[in-house]
Amino acid sequence: MSLYRAGSNFAHPGDLVEVVSGRDEVNRGWTQMQRASRMQVRGFDCPPYAAAAGHRESNPVELELLSRGVKYRVLYDSSVLEMPGWLEDVTAGIRLGEQARIATGLPTKLAICDDRVTMLPLLRPGDDPVTAPYVVHPSPLLDALAALFEAVWERSMQIRPSVPPVVGDLPERLAPDELLTLLASGATDKAAGRSLGWSDRTVQRHITKLLRRFGAQTRFQLAMEATRRGWI
């Protein structure tokens, strides 16, 4: 039986899932997983984070691997829109090749590297899940988690970096698709303003200008016209 198992690459069930504990070990394992990736990294990105309250950690390893041709596809939970500096951080990755989308109510953090290894929290939110994740190796469980990612990815909203404004009366760094994408992802005016560093009144003023630009009477009309033009 031992010879048969060795010849058929048999993996003992206990070897397919392991638990890593301790913040330092988790960070070390996450870094090693990424650096071992050759094709792509996929993931759900949502709070809580190990960094200071109200802040999302940057991922310098991602920026390094993007420059080497490793593909990153990341789904962000819409709750990150409340975090200052989030948009700038994500835009930096997008400009280097990250494919980013946003969705509401992601079920968990998740990272999948090359269909070879997956990391997800062991505990539920509120129990400091960032300090103890499962590490899942090739198995039907990994396949199921990959399928979950793809299913949510397909119905999520794409995030695009800002470009020079094409609407003449929109000042500063705003591109129409940037604000519209935030609103279409489910962000409130307050959350969109926080991501852009604007007050509620400033957000309302830009929305009013977009309504006039499109000749729309309601936000629904604005969304329909923006979709038709390919802005969202």
Side-chain angles (χ1 to χ4, degrees):
M1 180 58 71
S2 62
L3 290 173
Y4 169 78
R5 289 176 175 174
S8 61
N9 294 321
F10 176 85
H12 189 278
D15 297 331
L16 299 178
V17 180
E18 59 181 302
V19 175
V20 178
S21 60
R23 195 176 301 274
D24 291 341
E25 289 299 316
V26 172
N27 290 336
R28 187 177 301 112
W30 170 225
T31 298
Q32 291 174 348
M33 282 175 54
Q34 292 181 89
R35 292 193 183 281
S37 300
R38 296 294 178 266
M39 299 296 294
Q40 72 168 335
V41 177
R42 294 173 287 176
F44 291 159
D45 186 303
C46 58
Y49 297 109
H55 293 80
R56 172 184 171 272
E57 310 99 320
S58 59
N59 184 4
V61 178
E62 174 186 350
L63 302 182
E64 173 189 338
L65 294 182
L66 282 169
S67 67
R68 297 182 183 179
V70 177
K71 181 188 300 184
Y72 272 74
R73 289 196 289 152
V74 185
L75 260 169
Y76 296 91
D77 188 84
S78 58
S79 60
V80 300
L81 295 172
E82 299 286 345
M83 297 183 175
W86 170 82
L87 190 60
E88 290 80 1
D89 185 49
V90 172
T91 297
I94 293 174
R95 293 192 185 283
L96 288 175
E98 175 186 311
Q99 297 178 45
R101 296 190 178 189
I102 194 162
T104 299
L106 293 181
T108 181
K109 290 177 180 289
L110 178 66
I112 308 171
C113 298
D114 281 348
D115 291 322
R116 178 185 50 80
V117 62
T118 298
M119 182 180 284
L120 72 159
L122 170 64
L123 304 176
R124 292 181 175 178
D127 296 325
D128 199 9
V130 296
T131 61
Y134 290 110
V135 176
V136 182
H137 299 281
S139 61
L141 177 56
L142 191 154
D143 295 340
L145 292 170
L148 171 64
F149 173 88
E150 295 297 342
V152 181
W153 177 269
E154 285 301 318
R155 64 172 186 265
S156 58
M157 175 69 61
Q158 180 184 3
I159 303 170
R160 293 183 292 186
S162 59
V163 296
V166 297
V167 179
D169 57 355
L170 285 179
E172 298 110 9
R173 58 183 176 82
L174 174 69
D177 60 317
E178 187 173 61
L179 176 58
L180 291 169
T181 296
L182 293 175
L183 296 176
S185 70
T188 62
D189 290 356
K190 185 179 294 294
R194 187 167 299 173
S195 291
L196 295 166
W198 292 347
S199 67
D200 292 353
R201 175 175 291 185
T202 301
V203 173
Q204 287 287 342
R205 187 171 70 252
H206 289 322
I207 292 174
T208 299
K209 290 176 180 178
L210 286 168
L211 287 167
R212 287 202 301 266
R213 171 72 177 184
F214 286 132
Q217 300 299 314
T218 66
R219 290 192 179 199
F220 184 80
Q221 283 183 306
L222 175 62
M224 292 291 291
E225 182 62 20
T227 301
R228 186 184 70 79
R229 298 189 183 197
W231 287 10
I232 56 175

